[in-house]
């Protein structure tokens, strides 16, 4: 993205030399994070849930909308929502901060703890937005590498965390776009190496065999420096609502509240979140179905000319071996199947990522992929 230079003149007056300012020079080097929003039959590019929320949730939300006082600002403390989330995780409401998607949770953490002269640590390839939001907030990024099979290398974690004094160390678990979750002992080891706050982004946490929430609620050494971030966008089928949260020590929640705009969580979103928590069984059965489908895709991959990596999430990273990733991506698009092209992301040459969809969507994807790789 080229920086906007603002050199147009001929405006509506103002002092001599008045002009549209140029944007911050440090933003010029940042390009946006966008996945194509193309109209296709089978959309497997943004790790959303392929299913609508339960009909009973939609109905309950519709019924309760009439009670919303639309002329009043929402509950600034999101009391009911935080209480419900706290109950679901066995923590206190003071340990929960909610925002507009987990991306805004990450932004709040970076606004509170990052900034000029400070840095964060992360291990690539990982979720691009950790580094991207850090840079937007003027925070330095200490970027380490994962191993060739995308695992964390604790020696590298030690080297990177000791190379600066990162205020935050980020892990995504399961890691996007590579798929694997970090086992609890690895998270504990990273916590013992990180000098500041360890943020474990569990956007796909419900698909994984373990969660760092257990580490946090167990209250062991360093658990007051651990924040776990979650979202309603994936397993809860609510990407359109934009709701995410973190669970951490009350001090971390207070820090995020310092930088959150007043009334940033609208009344409908708060209500939608509270109601969703009444549908845990439905959510879990969706997760089970998607995990089964993930296994089916992985088994089909084993028969195709491609390399792929084990996934604990609702997506799988793969690298076609006999054909350029971009041309496979185009073949899929021609068959009206959209996947994510990661082939130009650092450390991911030749890779594509597919989100697990409904059984019939996965069938379409596998048929189109088989045809492309034939
Ligand atoms: N973290 C990770 C690892 C993600 O993959 C995503 C979604 N792409 C997010 C956070 C952001 O999710 P949301 O803002 O929709 O909660």
């Amino acid at each position: 993205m080229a920086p906007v230079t603002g050199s147009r003149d001929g405006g509506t007056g103002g002092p001599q030399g008045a002009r549209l300012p140029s944007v911050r020079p440090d933003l010029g080097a940042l390009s946006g994070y966008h996945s194509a929003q193309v109209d296709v039959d089978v959309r497997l590019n943004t790790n959303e849930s392929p299913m609508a929320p339960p009909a009973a949730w939609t109905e309950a939300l519709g019924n309760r909308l009439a009670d919303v006082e639309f002329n009043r600002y929402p509950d600034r403390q999101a009391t009911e929502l935080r209480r419900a989330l706290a109950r679901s995780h066995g923590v206190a409401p003071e340990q929960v901060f909610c925002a507009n998607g987990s991306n805004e949770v990450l932004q709040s953490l970076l606004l509170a703890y990052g900034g000029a002269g400070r840095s964060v640590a992360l291990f690539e390839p990982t979720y691009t937005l950790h580094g991207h939001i850090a840079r937007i907030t003027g925070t330095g990024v200490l970027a380490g590498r994962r191993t060739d099979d995308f695992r964390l290398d604790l020696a590298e974690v030690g080297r990177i965390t000791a190379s600066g004094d990162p205020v935050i160390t980020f892990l995504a678990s399961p890691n996007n776009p590579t798929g694997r979750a970090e086992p609890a002992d690895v998270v504990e080891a990273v916590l013992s190496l990180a000098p500041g706050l360890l943020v474990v982004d569990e956007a796909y946490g419900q698909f994984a065999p373990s969660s760092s929430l257990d580490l946090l609620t167990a209250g062991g050494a360093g658990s007051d420096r651990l924040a776990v971030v979650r979202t309603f966008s994936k397993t809860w089928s609510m990407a359109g609502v934009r709701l995410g949260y973190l669970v951490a020590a009350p001090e971390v929640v207070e820090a995020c509240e310092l930088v959150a705009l007043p009334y940033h969580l609208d009344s409908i979103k708060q209500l939608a979140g509270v109601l969703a928590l009444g549908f845990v069984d439905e959510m879990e059965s969706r997760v089970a179905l998607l995990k089964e489908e993930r296994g089916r895709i992985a088994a089909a991959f084993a028969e195709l000319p491609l390399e792929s990596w084990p996934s604990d999430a609702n997506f799988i990273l793969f690298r076609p071996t006999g054909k350029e990733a971009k041309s496979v991506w185009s073949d899929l698009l021609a068959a009206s199947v959209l996947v994510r092209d990661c082939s130009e992301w650092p450390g991911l040459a030749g890779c594509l990522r597919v989100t697990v969809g409904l059984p019939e969507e996965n069938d379409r994807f596998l048929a189109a992929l088989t045809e492309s790789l034939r």
Side-chain angles (χ1 to χ4, degrees):
M1 186 176 68
V4 178
T5 51
S7 58
R8 274 188 309 159
D9 35 50
T12 55
Q16 183 78 28
R19 63 190 162 81
L20 193 64
S22 56
V23 298
R24 272 165 42 195
D26 58 319
L27 295 184
L30 297 175
S31 57
Y33 169 85
H34 300 297
S35 186
Q37 285 197 309
V38 187
D39 196 13
V40 287
D41 293 346
V42 181
R43 242 166 58 183
L44 304 176
N45 63 329
T46 45
N47 300 344
E48 294 149 323
S49 169
M51 290 158 267
W57 172 84
T58 315
E59 194 184 327
L61 181 62
N63 292 341
R64 291 281 300 275
L65 276 184
D67 303 331
V68 173
E69 285 192 286
F70 283 106
N71 56 319
R72 300 292 175 197
Y73 283 114
D75 174 8
R76 189 166 168 180
Q77 291 296 321
T79 314
E80 210 188 331
L81 176 60
R82 289 169 68 201
R83 224 178 255 156
L85 282 166
R87 208 178 306 121
S88 77
H89 291 304
V91 298
E94 295 71 32
Q95 290 180 266
V96 180
F97 171 75
C98 301
N100 294 286
S102 50
N103 281 339
E104 197 184 52
V105 175
L106 299 169
Q107 185 189 52
S108 304
L109 285 165
L110 283 157
L111 286 170
Y113 292 106
R118 293 182 165 212
S119 62
V120 298
L122 48 81
F123 301 91
E124 291 174 331
T126 190
Y127 183 45
T128 325
L129 266 274
H130 294 161
H132 185 78
I133 304 172
R135 293 184 181 98
I136 288 174
T137 59
T139 313
V141 176
L142 304 167
R145 305 289 315 163
R146 286 171 176 263
T147 62
D148 287 347
D149 65 345
F150 306 130
R151 290 174 191 272
L152 272 185
D153 170 1
L154 290 175
E156 172 79 341
V157 174
R159 189 181 71 75
I160 291 291
T161 51
S163 71
D165 185 18
V167 283
I168 296 176
T169 298
F170 283 108
L171 294 182
S173 179
N175 189 43
N176 179 12
T178 59
R180 227 188 292 251
E182 303 302 342
D185 59 327
V186 171
V187 177
E188 269 180 281
V190 175
L191 187 59
S192 71
L193 292 166
L197 183 66
L198 174 62
V199 173
V200 183
D201 181 342
E202 292 193 352
Y204 308 94
Q206 292 93 337
F207 294 103
S210 68
S211 166
S212 292
L213 283 165
D214 294 338
L215 202 56
L216 196 144
T217 50
S223 60
D224 57 330
R225 294 185 295 108
L226 177 63
V228 179
V229 178
R230 290 216 157 184
T231 181
F232 281 76
S233 294
K234 318 290 178 181
T235 36
W236 290 98
S237 298
M238 286 166 59
V241 173
R242 309 302 299 128
L243 177 60
Y245 61 98
L246 68 70
V247 181
E251 292 87 332
V252 177
V253 173
E254 283 164 26
C256 289
E257 283 169 347
L258 283 178
V259 297
L261 294 174
Y263 313 112
H264 71 299
L265 275 190
D266 67 75
S267 307
I268 301 174
K269 188 188 313 280
Q270 294 187 31
L271 179 58
V274 170
L275 293 174
L277 294 173
F279 293 88
V280 173
D281 291 349
E282 287 79 353
M283 185 272 281
E284 284 175 351
S285 65
R286 283 142 193 263
V287 168
L289 169 75
L290 292 172
K291 280 163 75 172
E292 215 176 294
E293 283 296 299
R294 179 180 75 197
R296 195 166 70 86
I297 295 174
F301 275 4
E303 307 298 320
L304 291 170
L306 55 79
E307 199 180 351
S308 70
W309 289 269
S311 171
D312 297 307
N314 65 336
F315 54 82
I316 307 184
L317 186 75
F318 64 102
R319 179 188 282 143
T321 43
K323 195 168 180 178
E324 281 285 310
K326 285 212 181 298
S327 97
V328 175
W329 185 86
S330 301
D331 289 347
L332 293 173
L333 187 61
S336 207
V337 177
L338 184 61
V339 300
R340 194 71 183 263
D341 178 5
C342 312
S343 63
E344 285 175 13
W345 299 3
L348 294 173
C351 289
L352 301 172
R353 187 195 68 196
V354 63
T355 304
V356 178
L358 295 171
E360 54 274 25
E361 294 178 314
N362 302 329
D363 288 343
R364 286 260 316 248
F365 160 68
L366 287 170
L369 181 66
T370 305
E371 179 66 22
S372 169
L373 296 177
R374 218 155 42 130

